[in-house]
Amino acid sequence: MGNDKNKKCKCKCKCKCECKCEKKKKKKTRSPEKSCFPIPNCDKKIFCTDICGNIHLDQDVHDLEIWKKELNEKTMVTVSVFNSAWSISSLQVFVVCMEGSPVVLNIPKGNTLSATIEDVISIFVVHEEGGRVEGKFCLEICFPFRDKKSFFN
């Protein structure tokens, strides 16, 4: 009985991550397969990347798509947009999601606003008034992926 503590778990979990198995001395009739609780989605890794750039809108360019989803995975995006104090008007950011209405950030000149939004499809910056609007944006985009061989090929 003293050697039971040194035995390895015989779970046959489908994922390759560390599983948490019950070790109850009272219930010895349970098979290891039934007492194994793998961590959900443990075969996926979360990949995050930062994208930053400049915004320059004027009478020729009224709106600009700064990011577009081209993956089949759910994405979470943290959007941070700065509107320069030298801009003529406010800047609007439209974050289009898979479901529901777009998230709209109205950024007055000289200010920065940020939001973290799930299941984003695309992000647009817009100015409706005439004149020049300048600023900067930074996006942190996170999404799961399973196999980096197929991801990078």
Side-chain angles (χ1 to χ4, degrees):
M1 288 194 149
N3 293 338
D4 288 344
K5 292 180 184 176
N6 296 330
K7 287 186 179 180
K8 288 188 176 181
C9 175
K10 294 181 182 178
C11 285
K12 294 183 180 177
C13 298
K14 292 180 182 177
C15 63
K16 295 178 182 178
C17 60
E18 186 179 326
C19 72
K20 298 175 184 177
C21 297
E22 289 182 29
K23 292 185 179 182
K24 293 184 179 178
K25 293 180 182 180
K26 295 178 184 177
K27 295 183 180 181
K28 291 184 179 182
T29 57
R30 248 179 150 181
S31 67
E33 289 83 12
K34 290 183 182 176
S35 64
C36 182
F37 300 100
I39 300 168
N41 295 324
C42 59
D43 60 337
K44 294 181 183 179
K45 302 243 187 245
I46 301 296
F47 180 77
C48 294
T49 185
D50 293 333
I51 299 171
C52 296
N54 296 320
I55 298 168
H56 180 90
L57 303 176
D58 56 21
Q59 64 273 8
D60 296 328
V61 181
H62 298 283
D63 60 269
L64 183 65
E65 184 176 32
I66 58 172
W67 185 79
K68 182 177 174 181
K69 177 181 165 184
E70 294 288 337
L71 301 169
N72 290 328
E73 298 288 347
K74 232 179 178 181
T75 57
M76 183 177 296
V77 180
T78 299
V79 181
S80 184
V81 178
F82 166 71
N83 186 6
S84 172
W86 302 109
S87 295
I88 300 300
S89 66
S90 294
L91 183 63
Q92 287 187 316
V93 178
F94 290 88
V95 182
V96 182
C97 302
M98 186 64 85
E99 294 180 12
S101 300
V103 175
V104 181
L105 302 173
N106 290 309
I107 306 162
K109 57 185 185 173
N111 289 283
T112 301
L113 291 178
S114 301
T116 299
I117 305 150
E118 195 174 56
D119 212 7
V120 176
I121 297 173
S122 63
I123 301 169
F124 293 88
V125 291
V126 176
H127 84 105
E128 294 178 6
E129 300 173 22
R132 186 177 68 188
V133 175
E134 292 185 357
K136 296 187 180 291
F137 69 90
C138 281
L139 310 174
E140 180 187 46
I141 303 157
C142 296
F143 55 91
F145 72 97
R146 291 177 190 85
D147 181 13
K148 67 180 176 184
K149 288 180 186 174
S150 64
F151 179 76
F152 291 108
N153 288 334

